[in-house]
Amino acid sequence: MLDSGVVWAVVSQPRLLVLLGVAVLVAWPIGTRLSPGHRRLGVLFVLTLGAVLAATTTTGELRPSLSGMRSYLGGFADPAYVIDGFGTSREKIANLGLFLPLGLLAARLWPRPFVVLAALAALAFGIELWQAFIGRGGDAVDVLHNTVGALVGIGIARLWRR
């Protein structure tokens, strides 16, 4: 069942709706070119990527700040902070689930799992850096959760191929 709070959070953010709309518009033309042998998977990957970007790169109130970026990058200097924060809240666990479908679909589209993992880890890093800049509070722990989620998705895709 869909939570009305989640629905309102989506409907009340024009930037998020615009990004979702763009994802829908470009999913077919871009997705079919990603992997001609797997057209549906390519389209689904573009839609999923668009939904992840819409959910993670928009904010209701834009507050650009370089100090937020410094704070975010400083989190990587303390490995204990990153590891101790693993799995400590529902939001952190949701970050695992956010990148799992991307890992699964990307690994089904492209046969190089280490390249897929590196690309998705870089995407997670970039998203969190952007969040830190726009005032959403990027977090190094979220990068770890997103990357582990992608890794689980890649693992499922590898098992699926067998």
Side-chain angles (χ1 to χ4, degrees):
M1 187 161 152
L2 211 58
D3 180 6
S4 62
V6 171
V7 172
W8 179 248
V10 170
V11 173
S12 66
Q13 290 193 44
R15 292 178 189 103
L16 190 146
L17 289 173
V18 167
L19 277 176
L20 286 174
V22 169
V24 168
L25 289 174
V26 302
W28 181 258
I30 293 175
T32 56
R33 288 187 177 94
L34 287 177
S35 183
H38 299 89
R39 294 168 75 115
R40 288 185 189 146
L41 280 176
V43 171
L44 190 55
F45 175 79
V46 173
L47 285 172
T48 304
L49 178 62
V52 167
L53 290 174
T56 60
T57 64
T58 59
T59 185
E61 185 180 333
L62 189 62
R63 296 173 306 212
S65 164
L66 292 178
S67 65
M69 293 172 68
R70 280 191 292 277
S71 174
Y72 159 66
L73 293 171
F76 289 100
D78 185 4
Y81 164 74
V82 175
I83 293 169
D84 287 346
F86 193 82
T88 56
S89 69
R90 287 184 184 171
E91 186 236 337
K92 302 295 184 199
I93 301 303
N95 276 309
L96 285 166
L98 188 65
F99 268 59
L100 191 148
L102 283 176
L104 173 69
L105 293 168
R108 294 283 295 145
L109 287 168
W110 298 289
R112 301 184 65 191
F114 294 111
V115 172
V116 168
L117 183 61
L120 291 176
L123 176 65
F125 178 85
I127 285 172
E128 292 298 322
L129 185 64
W130 175 252
Q131 285 181 350
F133 175 70
I134 65 172
R136 275 189 61 175
D139 191 353
V141 178
D142 288 353
V143 174
L144 176 63
H145 284 88
N146 293 152
T147 303
V148 169
L151 182 62
V152 170
I154 292 166
I156 292 169
R158 301 285 293 175
L159 290 173
W160 187 341
R161 281 201 172 133
R162 291 183 185 167

